[in-house]
Structures are given as structure tokens and as C-alpha cells.
């Protein structure tokens, strides 16, 4: 097929398909734009489709966008101290038209970083003007979003978005084709937010993925919010994936999945921090109504008891349980029965912050997983306190690609004596390549050196190291990172937190950059279970 396209003169079409595979590989895309005009023209839209993905790194794109403002809006910014030079550079492409992903909170954070870099201050009024200006630029240049993440929170975090919702309502083309909708809500619903929710179910009917999170909301607010969420769900014609997180009144929303549209399109359901008690009576019923349901993911949910397991096992559809993360173990025999049914399809597993709890039950579960679950890709240990875990990693080096070892922030003192054991053993069993490794535990520098020496033959694309509650000399710690990580070029992306985030030590960050290692803020590189799933 590839050869026929070359000989028929369709090289640009073939090249387009190839470059699409680098969508998330920014360094490769940057290299592509330097090859020639054709490569540049194909790579630039991908580089600019998610401009605020890492606010601490990508905030400089704001200056480019502001160049597209009309003269009146530029004059407003100049009044507040923004240099005319910032707003007048020439641009080669219509960059605002390329935007596909927009996160309302990441825009806010990017603006803060931009103001600090440009003005050495943060000013609420300038922040507001820039926030509104960005939306105006995206609208005027016919941006068309595929992913829209909305954060509804208290105070300044949400004010700029709340005050600019009118732009979205008056210009439906920006959001009418969104495919992925993410809503985090931890505040009351203003009239503007209600208008936006009504707009979404009236104008956005091609959403394929939805995620809802209700953090710290009152029951009254959640009840009101759910009425609109139900309408958004029912109005969709191609909903393939839905995620529920921290939802205390899931019953009606879950039952709505039985509607005709969902029953013939929905193939994935993700439950995060859900108490299954109030949907236990309809779990099997809803699953059996979903004709194309392929997989479910269960992440740190409550009430995984005998009744729950029986409901899942009795589902008549060829369902796959792909993720199971536990922070409580209520009925070990039922969970073993669940694993027995889904052992061949389970890909992601973890215990979370359960050190010192359920030790006997965890040992039983882990022994079963070692014996029968051969396709684990993501493993969240919590804190490993038995040696079989290292044997499991060693025996599954061809499949495991993501590993998290993370202690509870409020119980870090109980782990200090065990961290050396973990660091000594882990470095000896890692595969030759890892996509992601997160180490968040108390350690001293000499213990970390042992791990880094033992793992010197492993290349880790994303490495996160966080020291929990142990003081280390900052200079010695940084020298250790340079010696064992920077010089051998053992990672591609790095995040280190040791009381302070390495990202803010710009001289050191630039040294790592010279060795092709990009240092991120810890929070930007950290992958939650939901992010992975």
C-alpha cells in the first residue's frame, strides 16, 4: 500500500499519515519542521493542537496568539503595560486555527507563567484580558475543538472562565464538534455555567468520550448538575466511553446509559472512587443492555463485596475487566473469583495506600496475579512490602511498562526503614525500557544512588522522583541526578521534588536540556490512574 502511494505520486498523503504518528512526540515534531516546507506544513498543526498541555513549558505560545488580536484589543493590553513589541511579530501560519484541545484551568496557569516571565508579576486584570483575548482569537480564526476540559471551581480559579462563557455561547462553531468532554466540578453552579451545560446538550451531539468529577460538591449542587449531565448523555449519537468519578448519587446517570443511543455505541465505562452500593441493583441490568460494551475499569471504588462480584460475573455480554485498583478488600474470596474470570484480560492493577492494611488478603491476591495474570502493563504498588513483587516484575518484563511506588504523605515516617529495601531490589529487576516510573517515598541520597546504579541498563521515558519527609543536601542531591541520570542520558522526561521542585532551578534545568533531557514540574509529569486508563 505504501509503495503504491509513492509510485502514484501521493507522497504528501503518505507523509501526512506517518507524521500523524508523532502527535504526542513534540521533540520529533520540532525536528520535522526543520526538514523542508512540506514537512513543516504537516508538523506545525500537530505542534499547535494542544498548546497549553504543559503550562510551565508552553506558556510562550500566548505571545504568538496575541499577535492575532485586532488593534483595539491590542491597545487595551498596551494600556496595562504589555509591550507593543510582544504584540507585533510576524507569523508564518494561522496558529489559532490549529487548536484542538482546550483545558480551562491550564489556560489560566499558562497565563500566570507568562505574566511572571514577561512582567515579573501576576495581575488579575491583565490575566482576565489575556484570557478573554485568547478565546476571541480562537473564535475569530475558526478554531474547532475536539477536546474540551472544563474546571468549575471556587474563587479565581474559575472566575475568568465563568466571565467569558458568553463567547462560547455566542460562537458555537468553536465547540460544536467536541469529541471529548471533561468536567470537574467543586463549586455551586452559576447561571453562566447552567447556560453552558444547556448549550452543550443542545449543540454538541458528537461527543465520544465523557468524564465527570464531583469533588467537594454539596448534594444539592450535584443533583442540579446531574439533571444537565443526563441531558448531555441522552443527546449523544456516538458516545463510546464514559467515566464517573466521586459521584455519590450515580443511580439515575448510570441508568441513563440504557437509552437507545448509548446501548449501541458505548464500549468502555470507567469508575473512579465510586461507591457501588446505590447502583448494585441495576448493575447487571445496565451492562446487559449495552450491546457493544467491551471493557470496564474499576479504580479505588467502594463496596466491592460479594453482591457486586456476583452482579459482574453474571453479565451475559463478553465483558472485560481491564483495570482493578483497590484501597479496601472486603471479601477476598469474591475478589479472587473476579480475578479468576478476568485474569487473561486484566492489564492494570494496584493496591494504592494500603500499607499495613489487608496484608494477608493482598498476599493472596498478589499470588493469584503472579500465577495467572500475564498481561499487566501498569502496576501501582502503593508500597511493596513483600519480595514476590520484584520477582513478578522480573518475570513480566515484556509487558510491564508503567510502575508507581507511592507512599501516603501523612504516613511517611513508617516507611523510612523500608525504603532502602525497595530501592535495592527494584533497580535489579526493571526491564530494559520503561515508559513511566514514579518513585514517591522517603529516602536518603545513598539509598537512591544504589537504585540508580542497579538500574543503569534501563532507559525510562518518564522518570519521577519525590522525596517524602527526609532532608537531603540539595547540592549533593542535584549532583547525584547529574551523575546517574544526566550524563548517561537515561531518561527523556524528568521530574524531581525534594522539598522544592527541580523545575524552578533554571540553570540546572538548562544543563539537563543540553543532554536532551526535559525537566518538567512534578505535577505536570505525574500520571494518575485515570490519566493512564
Amino acid at each position: 500500500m505504501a509503495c503504491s502511494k509513492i509510485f502514484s505520486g501521493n507522497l504528501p498523503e503518505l507523509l501526512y499519515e506517518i507524521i500523524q504518528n508523532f502527535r504526542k512526540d513534540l521533540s520529533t515534531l520540532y525536528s520535522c519542521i526543520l526538514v523542508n516546507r512540506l514537512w513543516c506544513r504537516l508538523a506545525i498543526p500537530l505542534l499547535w493542537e494542544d498548546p497549553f498541555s504543559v503550562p510551565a513549558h508552553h506558556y510562550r505560545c500566548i505571545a504568538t496568539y496575541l499577535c492575532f488580536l485586532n488593534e483595539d484589543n491590542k491597545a487595551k493590553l498596551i494600556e496595562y503595560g504589555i509591550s507593543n513589541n510582544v504584540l507585533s511579530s510576524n507569523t508564518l501560519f494561522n496558529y489559532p486555527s490549529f487548536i484542538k484541545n482546550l483545558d480551562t484551568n491550564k489556560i489560566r496557569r499558562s497565563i500566570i507563567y507568562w505574566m511572571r516571565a514577561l512582567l515579573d508579576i501576576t495581575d488579575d486584570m491583565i490575566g482576565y484580558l489575556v484570557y478573554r483575548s485568547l478565546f476571541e482569537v480562537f473564535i475569530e480564526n475558526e478554531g474547532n475543538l475536539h477536546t474540551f476540559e472544563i474546571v468549575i471551581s471556587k474563587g479565581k480559579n474559575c472566575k475568568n472562565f465563568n466571565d467569558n462563557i458568553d463567547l462560547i455561547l455566542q460562537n458555537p462553531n468553536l465547540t460544536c464538534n467536541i469529541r471529548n468532554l471533561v468536567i470537574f466540578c467543586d463549586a455551586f453552579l452559576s447561571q453562566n455555567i447552567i447556560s453552558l451545560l444547556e448549550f452543550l446538550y443542545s449543540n454538541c451531539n458528537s461527543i465520544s468520550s465523557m468524564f465527570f468529577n464531583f469533588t467537594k460538591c454539596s448534594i444539592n449542587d450535584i443533583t442540579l448538575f446531574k439533571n444537565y449531565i443526563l441531558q448531555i448523555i441522552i443527546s449523544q449519537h456516538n458516545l463510546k466511553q464514559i467515566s464517573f468519578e466521586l459521584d455519590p448519587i450515580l443511580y439515575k446517570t448510570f441508568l441513563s446509559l440504557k437509552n437507545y443511543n448509548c446501548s449501541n455505541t458505548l464500549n468502555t465505562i470507567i469508575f473512579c472512587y465510586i461507591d457501588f452500593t446505590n447502583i448494585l441493583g441495576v448493575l447487571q441490568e445496565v451492562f446487559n443492555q449495552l450491546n457493544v460494551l467491551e471493557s470496564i475499569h474499576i479504580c479505588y471504588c467502594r463496596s466491592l463485596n460479594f453482591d457486586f462480584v456476583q452482579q459482574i460475573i453474571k453479565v451475559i455480554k463478553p465483558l472485560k475487566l481491564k483495570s482493578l485498583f483497590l484501597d479496601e478488600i472486603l471479601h477476598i474470596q469474591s475478589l479472587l473469583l473476579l480475578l479468576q474470570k478476568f485474569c487473561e484480560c486484566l492489564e492494570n492493577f494496584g493496591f494504592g495506600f494500603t500499607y499495613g492494611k489487608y496484608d494477608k488478603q493482598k498476599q493472596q491476591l498478589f499470588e493469584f496475579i503472579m500465577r495467572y495474570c500475564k498481561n499487566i502493563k501498569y502496576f501501582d504498588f502503593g508500597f511493596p512490602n513483600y519480595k514476590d513483587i520484584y520477582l513478578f516484575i522480573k518475570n513480566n518484563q515484556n509487558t510491564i511498562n508503567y510502575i508507581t511506588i507511592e507512599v501516603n504523605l501523612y504516613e511517611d515516617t513508617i516507611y523510612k526503614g523500608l525504603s532502602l529495601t525497595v530501592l535495592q531490589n527494584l533497580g535489579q529487576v526493571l526491564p530494559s525500557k520503561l515508559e513511566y516510573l514514579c518513585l514517591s517515598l522517603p529516602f536518603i541520597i545513598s539509598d537512591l544512588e544504589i537504585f540508580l546504579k542497579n538500574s543503569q541498563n534501563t532507559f525510562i521515558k518518564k522518570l519521577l522522583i519525590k522525596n517524602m519527609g527526609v532532608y537531603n543536601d540539595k547540592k549533593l542531591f542535584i549532583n547525584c541526578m547529574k551523575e546517574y541520570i544526566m550524563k548517561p542520558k537515561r531518561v527523556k522526561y524528568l521530574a524531581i521534588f525534594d522539598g522544592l521542585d527541580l523545575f524552578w532551578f533554571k540553570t540546572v534545568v538548562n544543563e539537563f536540556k543540553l543532554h536532551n533531557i526535559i525537566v518538567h514540574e512534578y505535577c505536570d509529569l505525574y500520571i494518575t490512574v485515570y490519566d493512564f486508563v
Side-chain angles (χ1 to χ4, degrees):
M1 182 65 178
C3 289
S4 66
K5 286 187 176 182
I6 292 173
F7 291 123
S8 64
N10 288 331
L11 183 58
E13 180 186 341
L14 179 61
L15 186 59
Y16 171 81
E17 293 177 8
I18 293 171
I19 290 180
Q20 289 292 312
N21 292 315
F22 302 137
R23 172 171 264 109
K24 298 298 182 181
D25 189 344
L26 298 185
S27 61
T28 300
L29 289 173
Y30 281 121
S31 298
C32 288
I33 66 175
L34 302 175
V35 175
N36 57 38
R37 290 183 179 182
L38 174 61
W39 285 58
C40 182
R41 182 167 54 83
L42 295 175
I44 282 291
L46 299 182
L47 277 169
W48 284 82
E49 69 177 15
D50 191 8
F52 306 105
S53 58
V54 186
H57 278 279
H58 299 162
Y59 63 85
R60 294 176 183 85
C61 69
I62 292 173
T64 302
Y65 286 135
L66 295 181
C67 294
F68 288 83
L69 286 173
N70 60 43
E71 294 305 315
D72 288 341
N73 286 334
K74 285 182 180 179
K76 291 179 184 178
L77 290 174
I78 291 171
E79 285 179 17
Y80 281 88
I82 305 298
S83 169
N84 188 48
N85 294 332
V86 175
L87 307 174
S88 60
S89 37
N90 296 321
T91 55
L92 297 175
F93 294 90
N94 185 3
Y95 298 106
S97 68
F98 300 140
I99 190 162
K100 298 300 179 189
N101 303 331
L102 202 56
D103 181 323
T104 62
N105 188 51
K106 287 183 177 179
I107 292 181
R108 180 190 65 83
R109 289 178 58 205
S110 297
I111 292 171
I112 291 172
Y113 284 119
W114 181 76
M115 285 192 293
R116 287 174 179 167
L118 185 70
L119 307 173
D120 201 27
I121 61 168
T122 56
D123 182 283
D124 289 347
M125 191 60 202
I126 294 177
Y128 172 81
L129 288 174
V130 172
Y131 197 99
R132 188 170 184 87
S133 296
L134 289 174
F135 271 88
E136 288 174 340
V137 164
F138 296 141
I139 290 166
E140 290 169 5
N141 290 275
E142 300 181 351
N144 190 257
L145 299 182
H146 289 173
T147 298
F148 193 23
E149 298 195 25
I150 303 168
V151 178
I152 305 168
S153 59
K154 301 181 179 76
K156 294 180 182 179
N157 290 353
C158 187
K159 187 178 187 307
N160 283 350
F161 174 66
N162 189 71
D163 292 346
N164 288 292
I165 287 174
D166 61 299
L167 291 174
I168 297 172
L169 302 182
Q170 295 164 16
N171 299 276
N173 287 342
L174 178 67
T175 54
C176 64
N177 291 318
I178 57 174
R179 301 168 188 171
N180 308 300
L181 176 64
V182 178
I183 300 179
F184 292 88
C185 182
D186 69 352
F188 73 94
L189 299 185
S190 67
Q191 186 54 53
N192 282 353
I193 296 294
I194 290 173
S195 298
L196 176 63
L197 295 173
E198 291 173 342
F199 170 88
L200 290 172
Y201 71 69
S202 299
N203 294 274
C204 306
N205 308 124
S206 302
I207 300 172
S208 59
S209 173
M210 291 184 182
F211 170 82
F212 305 110
N213 174 298
F214 304 96
T215 305
K216 301 177 183 177
C217 284
S218 70
I219 294 297
N220 289 337
D221 284 329
I222 294 176
T223 302
L224 176 61
F225 194 40
K226 296 298 281 293
N227 292 332
Y228 297 104
I229 296 302
L230 285 171
Q231 294 300 318
I232 294 174
I233 292 173
I234 292 169
S235 68
Q236 301 311 309
H237 303 304
N238 191 39
L239 184 60
K240 296 181 179 179
Q241 175 178 296
I242 192 164
S243 308
F244 303 105
E245 181 170 347
L246 292 167
D247 188 341
I249 48 174
L250 184 59
Y251 185 84
K252 286 186 179 180
T253 313
F254 186 64
L255 210 56
S256 72
L257 302 183
K258 291 173 60 179
N259 82 80
Y260 175 79
N261 287 339
C262 287
S263 65
N264 291 304
T265 61
L266 190 65
N267 59 39
T268 303
I269 303 177
I270 303 169
F271 300 99
C272 291
Y273 304 103
I274 295 296
D275 190 332
F276 284 108
T277 301
N278 69 17
I279 62 168
L280 204 55
V282 295
L283 203 61
Q284 182 183 347
E285 174 190 346
V286 172
F287 283 164
N288 283 333
Q289 284 285 110
L290 300 174
N291 298 321
V292 295
L293 182 64
E294 296 175 359
S295 63
I296 61 172
H297 303 260
I298 299 172
C299 308
Y300 303 120
C301 293
R302 299 295 185 204
S303 304
L304 274 66
N305 52 26
F306 174 81
D307 292 333
F308 166 82
V309 172
Q310 289 302 310
Q311 288 273 313
I312 297 294
I313 288 176
K314 290 178 181 178
V315 173
I316 59 176
K317 304 292 183 182
L319 182 66
K320 294 180 180 180
L321 175 64
K322 288 198 171 182
S323 301
L324 181 62
F325 296 91
L326 304 168
D327 59 7
E328 71 170 12
I329 300 174
L330 298 180
H331 195 270
I332 183 63
Q333 294 305 321
S334 294
L335 288 175
L336 288 171
L337 192 61
L338 188 70
L339 288 174
Q340 183 177 342
K341 180 175 175 63
F342 296 110
C343 60
E344 292 183 1
C345 57
L346 189 67
E347 296 179 356
N348 314 306
F349 184 82
F351 289 121
F353 298 135
T354 56
Y355 179 78
K357 297 184 291 185
Y358 315 112
D359 285 346
K360 183 177 179 181
Q361 297 96 316
K362 283 165 60 179
Q363 184 69 40
Q364 287 180 266
L365 288 174
F366 188 69
E367 287 174 358
F368 185 94
I369 286 171
M370 281 191 66
R371 185 174 299 177
Y372 299 108
C373 300
K374 303 299 183 182
N375 296 303
I376 300 295
K377 297 177 181 177
Y378 182 109
F379 203 176
D380 182 352
F381 293 89
F383 193 87
N385 57 326
Y386 30 88
K387 62 181 183 297
D388 288 347
I389 281 182
Y390 309 110
L391 180 61
F392 176 74
I393 295 174
K394 186 175 181 179
N395 292 341
N396 292 273
Q397 291 189 352
N398 292 329
T399 57
I400 288 181
N401 215 2
Y402 295 76
I403 296 175
T404 295
I405 297 178
E406 188 172 25
V407 305
N408 191 328
L409 173 64
Y410 302 104
E411 298 176 354
D412 59 278
T413 55
I414 67 175
Y415 304 103
K416 289 179 180 177
L418 299 172
S419 292
L420 174 59
T421 302
V422 173
L423 294 171
Q424 281 180 328
N425 287 283
L426 184 65
Q428 300 179 51
V429 297
L430 291 179
S432 59
K433 286 185 179 181
L434 267 181
E435 186 74 18
Y436 178 89
L437 175 62
C438 175
L439 298 174
S440 176
L441 67 170
F443 59 80
I444 59 176
I445 295 174
S446 58
D447 294 347
L448 185 63
E449 281 182 322
I450 293 173
F451 164 76
L452 294 172
K453 288 178 182 178
N454 288 342
S455 60
Q456 60 184 332
N457 294 322
T458 298
F459 179 82
I460 304 168
K461 185 174 182 180
K462 298 179 181 179
L463 174 62
L464 295 83
I465 299 174
K466 186 174 185 178
N467 184 15
M468 302 289 289
V470 175
Y471 173 78
N472 285 304
D473 182 278
K474 295 294 183 292
K475 185 175 181 179
L476 292 177
F477 187 71
I478 290 174
N479 287 339
C480 175
M481 296 298 101
K482 290 179 179 179
E483 180 68 26
Y484 295 104
I485 294 176
M486 185 179 78
K487 291 179 181 178
K489 299 181 181 180
R490 293 176 47 190
V491 306
K492 186 171 184 178
Y493 303 105
L494 178 66
I496 295 175
F497 191 93
D498 184 40
L500 295 172
D501 201 308
L502 182 65
F503 176 79
W504 297 108
F505 293 79
K506 294 303 181 183
T507 303
V508 180
V509 169
N510 289 333
E511 279 190 71
F512 276 92
K513 190 173 182 180
L514 292 174
H515 290 75
N516 295 319
I517 297 173
I518 306 300
V519 177
H520 285 264
E521 265 195 287
Y522 190 89
C523 62
D524 285 332
L525 205 60
Y526 182 79
I527 297 177
T528 67
V529 166
Y530 171 76
D531 291 331
F532 179 79
V533 170

